[in-house]
Amino acid sequence: GSWRNSMAPPSERPGERRGAEMKKLYGEDAAKIQAMEAAMQLNFDRHCDLKQPKYWPVIPLKL
Amino acid sequence: MQCDWPLLGPLQWMRYVNKQVKVKAGKDEERRGWLLTVDPVSASLVLVDFKEDGGASVQVVMGHAVEEVEVLQEADEETTQRLQSSFLPAKTRRLDP
Amino acid sequence: SIATSASSETNAEQLPIEQHARSVLRETFLRCLLSMTNKKVQFLMHERVKVEATFGASDIDVLNFQVSDLHTPIGVQKEALIRCQDVISFTCDS
C-alpha cells in the first residue's frame, strides 16, 4: 500500500540519522519516545497487512 | 487569517495545556474543551470534555486545520488532576519533581 | 513536519526544557491515540463530510488512520484508511 512510501527510510544510514534526530528533538527522553513510536508503527503496519484497508475517500478531499 | 499554530513549538504549546480553550478549525467550525496535549509532530490538539455521568469525550483537532486557539480559563487543581490522569495507566503515573 | 523554528531561537539552557516539553506532549498524545483503539469515533472531514468508524491505529507521522466499519454516505466499508489531511477533527466518547 502507498502508506508505506512515507515510511521508507532515507537511503544513507537511516537508523543512525533517525537516532540523532530523535536525540535532538527529545533529548534524554529520545529512547523512550522512539520505543513508543516503534511499537505504534509496528501495530499500524500489522493492522494494514492483515486487513488490507483501502483509502476512503479514493480521491483526497484536500490536496 | 494566516495562523502559525503548527510553528509555535513545544514551549509555546505548553502554555495552552490544562486550559479551557476555544479552537477554530475548518470553515466556521468552533469547539471548546480542556487542552490535554498538543502533538509536537502534527501540531494536533487533544481536547477533553467531562460529562456529568463521569465519562469524558475526547476530541482531536488536526494541526493543519487549526485557524485560531483562544484561552478561556485555567483549570483548577481538581480538573487538572482529572485531565492528566485520563489516559495514563496507573502504573506509569508518577509525579515529576 | 516538526516545528524547528522555536528551537533555533532557544539557547543552550532552554534546550533541555524544550526537549522535555516536547517529550511530555508527544507521549501524552501517543497514549491518547492508543486509548482510542477499538472505540467508535466520529470524523469531521473537509467538504463537511461526517463519517463514523471504529478506530484501529495511526501511523506515527499522523498521516493515516486505519479504521474498521466505516459508515460512508454510500454504505459501510469494512476496512479503510483515512488520510489525516482530509480530517479536520475527530471525536471519541469514553
Side-chain angles (χ1 to χ4, degrees):
Chain A
S2 52
W3 71 88
R4 287 186 181 285
N5 298 344
S6 62
M7 290 314 297
S11 48
E12 1 77 44
R13 299 179 168 274
E16 235 169 80
R17 197 182 126 181
R18 178 149 170 76
E21 263 168 32
M22 293 294 284
K23 187 86 189 150
K24 203 171 98 190
L25 289 169
Y26 297 103
E28 288 179 357
D29 297 324
K32 180 174 76 172
I33 299 295
Q34 204 164 1
M36 279 187 85
E37 289 189 349
M40 240 179 98
Q41 187 64 42
L42 187 70
N43 182 45
F44 176 83
D45 290 343
R46 231 180 13 215
H47 273 77
C48 290
D49 282 343
L50 205 68
K51 301 175 174 183
Q52 299 286 317
K54 301 277 183 293
Y55 272 114
W56 189 89
V58 176
I59 312 283
L61 292 171
K62 199 159 185 183
L63 296 171
Chain B
M1 182 191 88
Q2 183 62 41
C3 179
D4 52 0
W5 175 257
L7 298 176
L8 287 185
L11 295 176
Q12 294 298 314
W13 290 324
M14 268 295 187
R15 295 170 179 227
Y16 293 84
V17 171
N18 295 331
K19 310 265 162 64
Q20 190 187 39
V21 295
K22 189 166 83 177
V23 182
K24 268 171 93 175
K27 283 178 194 120
D28 45 70
E29 291 285 341
E30 189 182 294
R31 62 235 50 231
R32 288 157 193 250
W34 298 99
L35 189 88
L36 174 68
T37 191
V38 179
D39 175 34
V41 173
S42 65
S44 301
L45 297 89
V46 179
L47 303 178
V48 178
D49 238 340
F50 297 114
K51 292 178 295 188
E52 281 172 15
D53 62 6
S57 107
V58 180
Q59 182 160 217
V60 179
V61 186
M62 306 308 292
H64 65 80
V66 171
E67 276 161 29
E68 208 179 312
V69 185
E70 188 189 322
V71 173
L72 298 176
Q73 61 167 318
E74 303 215 6
D76 57 26
E77 209 165 307
E78 193 193 333
T79 310
T80 305
Q81 285 277 326
R82 211 173 152 191
L83 189 60
Q84 292 299 329
S85 57
S86 313
F87 300 99
L88 287 186
K91 58 176 167 134
T92 62
R93 207 182 301 163
R94 66 193 162 97
L95 294 171
D96 284 327
Chain C
S1 61
I2 293 182
T4 48
S5 62
S7 39
S8 59
E9 294 162 22
T10 49
N11 57 39
E13 272 169 44
Q14 253 191 326
L15 186 63
I17 302 172
E18 192 191 82
Q19 288 170 332
H20 185 67
R22 182 180 284 115
S23 134
V24 169
L25 292 168
R26 179 70 166 158
E27 181 175 350
T28 311
F29 182 74
L30 294 181
R31 282 193 194 286
C32 182
L33 281 184
L34 285 174
S35 78
M36 292 189 179
T37 309
N38 294 326
K39 290 204 177 135
K40 275 221 163 68
V41 293
Q42 289 88 38
F43 290 96
L44 172 65
M45 303 171 72
H46 288 290
E47 312 304 329
R48 296 183 188 277
V49 175
K50 283 183 186 175
V51 289
E52 204 177 279
T54 304
F55 196 82
S58 166
D59 59 15
I60 58 172
D61 297 310
V62 202
L63 299 172
N64 303 289
F65 297 131
Q66 175 262 321
V67 301
S68 302
D69 293 318
L70 175 71
H71 291 254
T72 81
I74 54 159
V76 177
Q77 185 169 326
K78 190 79 193 118
E79 304 293 346
L81 273 181
I82 289 186
R83 296 175 193 84
C84 298
Q85 278 296 324
D86 286 346
V87 177
I88 295 172
S89 66
F90 61 101
T91 312
C92 170
D93 291 315
S94 56

